[in-house]
Amino acid sequence: MTSPGIRKIIHVDMDAFYASVEQRDNPHLRGRPVAVGYGAKRGVVAAASYEAREYGVRSAMPSTTALRKCPPLVFVAPRFDVYRAISRQIREIFADYTDLIEPLSLDEAYLDVTENRRGLPTATATATEIRARIKAETGLNASAGVSYNKFLAKLASDHRKPNGQFVVPPGMGEAFVENLPVGRFHGVGPVTAEKMNGLGIHTGADLRRQTVTFLQTHFGKSGPWYHAIAHGEDHRPVVPDRPRKSSGSETTFLEDLTEPAAVEQGVLSMADEVWGWCEKAQAFGRTVTVKIKYGDFRQATRSRTLAAPVVAQDTLRTVAVDLVRTVYPLPTGVRLLGVTVSSFEASGPPAQLEFGF
């Protein structure tokens, strides 16, 4: 990976990050199936250890389903302050090698090490050293994918998980993706994958055989992207500290809310959590969105875009309550409420990101 013009991209992905932190800090959890989250009736799994994954437990799975699949599952309450602190520690390691760090979440990031500060000759050697330092300094395992673009590097990081590393060298991207199912491709969600399967597109090779025109007809503006990745092409740069586009908070209640007063109190609580982040980050947006999920899983959203950014907590609270009142009378009980602020002003104070947010 040393030819002029060829980038050296690493995708680092921490292995079962939240659950691994809990197992690191509590020896009694090691070797046991662990879920980070709450085991209550309305709980959801935020993360699962590899021992839990062997039973079929996955992130975002309802806690009741997870317990049915894995009766010995141990639930541990999340400690996001701890995860953020470790995430910052990992990012400090990255910064010893490059300024070009693009966080995707608390537990993964892209690095462009084409010009690396340590003078290491290859991206493979750089990724190996970074993973070794993460292990030595945090006690946690990381997997890495190494390639000449972001799409291939992210695919490669999954190829040897956990605690592995895989390289897709220049000229091998098309061959690497041809036998992979399209559902593995970043940017192809379950609905799109199902649609592709219905069109006879099951693998990268099937996707590569389609013309741009065909893909645009069936997938709109995403068509050219699908055509490019089927050929192992991705020209997106690694963008350091992308500005955060929104800040939101939501919660699922143990029992459905049926009284407007209780619904409004829930909205106010979510608005206060969002405001806490906005005030700390000095990031203020113009659009307020309220999300309502009913007991029968129907969902409604209400949004309002203001002429100026929301710079006062009382304004956010007022707008959020006004929005939720537009769904009255409630058709049934409410199981989940969320509040999000978006449309941050480019000219205003920037959102401050850690390694993730």
Side-chain angles (χ1 to χ4, degrees):
M1 300 180 70
T2 57
S3 301
I6 294 178
R7 295 180 297 158
K8 301 177 182 180
I9 309 298
I10 301 172
H11 178 254
V12 179
D13 193 2
M14 302 300 297
D15 296 330
F17 183 50
Y18 298 170
S20 294
V21 170
E22 300 304 332
Q23 289 178 316
R24 181 198 72 173
D25 293 349
N26 184 348
H28 296 294
L29 297 176
R30 295 172 192 169
R32 301 176 66 184
V34 173
V36 176
Y38 299 96
K41 177 182 175 183
R42 294 287 179 83
V44 175
V45 174
S49 69
Y50 282 99
E51 295 87 350
R53 295 181 190 188
E54 291 178 3
Y55 287 84
V57 177
R58 296 289 184 269
S59 298
M61 179 178 286
S63 299
T64 51
T65 302
L67 284 167
R68 281 198 301 270
K69 287 179 173 288
C70 179
L73 187 65
V74 179
F75 276 91
V76 179
R79 299 182 296 154
F80 289 108
D81 288 347
V82 175
Y83 309 148
R84 291 188 187 99
I86 298 170
S87 194
R88 286 193 295 270
Q89 186 180 0
I90 293 168
R91 183 163 179 185
E92 289 171 3
I93 295 173
F94 294 161
D96 285 343
Y97 298 84
T98 180
D99 288 327
L100 298 178
I101 305 163
E102 181 178 335
L104 300 180
S105 62
L106 286 177
D107 61 351
E108 62 175 319
Y110 290 115
L111 288 69
D112 186 329
V113 296
T114 308
E115 303 293 335
N116 76 78
R117 289 174 170 168
R118 311 280 279 204
L120 296 171
T122 67
T124 301
T126 305
T128 299
E129 185 171 302
I130 287 173
R131 291 176 53 240
R133 285 191 58 191
I134 290 173
K135 180 66 173 180
E137 296 179 30
T138 72
L140 300 170
N141 291 326
S143 293
V146 181
S147 196
Y148 51 96
N149 65 46
K150 290 163 67 173
F151 171 72
L152 292 173
K154 186 170 176 66
L155 275 179
S157 68
D158 276 338
H159 214 58
R160 290 288 184 266
K161 267 187 167 291
N163 195 27
Q165 184 169 308
F166 190 77
V167 181
V168 181
M172 296 302 295
E174 192 169 301
F176 176 62
V177 303
E178 65 180 4
N179 293 318
L180 294 179
V182 291
R184 288 271 309 276
F185 294 176
H186 183 56
V188 177
V191 174
T192 300
E194 185 177 355
K195 183 176 180 180
M196 286 184 175
N197 293 167
L199 293 168
I201 303 170
H202 299 274
T203 66
D206 295 332
L207 187 59
R208 189 171 68 234
R209 283 192 285 269
Q210 313 307 317
T211 65
V212 174
T213 300
F214 175 88
L215 293 173
Q216 282 180 315
T217 299
H218 291 280
F219 302 101
K221 61 183 181 181
S222 297
W225 164 252
Y226 296 147
H227 186 267
I229 62 176
H231 290 80
E233 298 173 1
D234 176 10
H235 302 292
R236 296 172 300 158
V238 171
V239 182
D241 285 342
R242 295 177 300 170
R244 187 167 175 171
K245 296 181 179 180
S246 65
S247 175
S249 182
E250 63 180 43
T251 190
T252 300
F253 302 99
L254 292 176
E255 301 292 340
D256 291 350
L257 306 181
T258 57
E259 297 297 326
V263 171
E264 290 173 20
Q265 185 57 52
V267 166
L268 289 173
S269 295
M270 295 300 97
D272 289 345
E273 286 193 20
V274 172
W275 176 255
W277 181 89
C278 291
E279 188 174 43
K280 181 179 179 181
Q282 288 294 289
F284 305 102
R286 294 187 300 113
T287 300
V288 179
T289 302
V290 170
K291 173 182 174 182
I292 307 102
K293 184 177 287 186
Y294 298 105
D296 58 7
F297 290 92
R298 285 181 298 160
Q299 185 169 302
T301 57
R302 297 290 186 271
S303 294
R304 181 177 301 167
T305 299
L306 307 180
V310 177
V311 294
Q313 184 175 9
D314 285 347
T315 303
L316 177 58
R317 287 166 64 98
T318 298
V319 173
V321 170
D322 286 347
L323 287 171
V324 81
R325 285 175 176 168
T326 65
V327 303
Y328 295 164
L330 296 172
T332 186
V334 173
R335 66 177 278 120
L336 176 148
L337 288 169
V339 174
T340 299
V341 173
S342 57
S343 301
F344 291 141
E345 290 288 273
S347 58
Q352 299 297 315
L353 284 183
E354 299 162 355
F355 171 31
F357 45 83

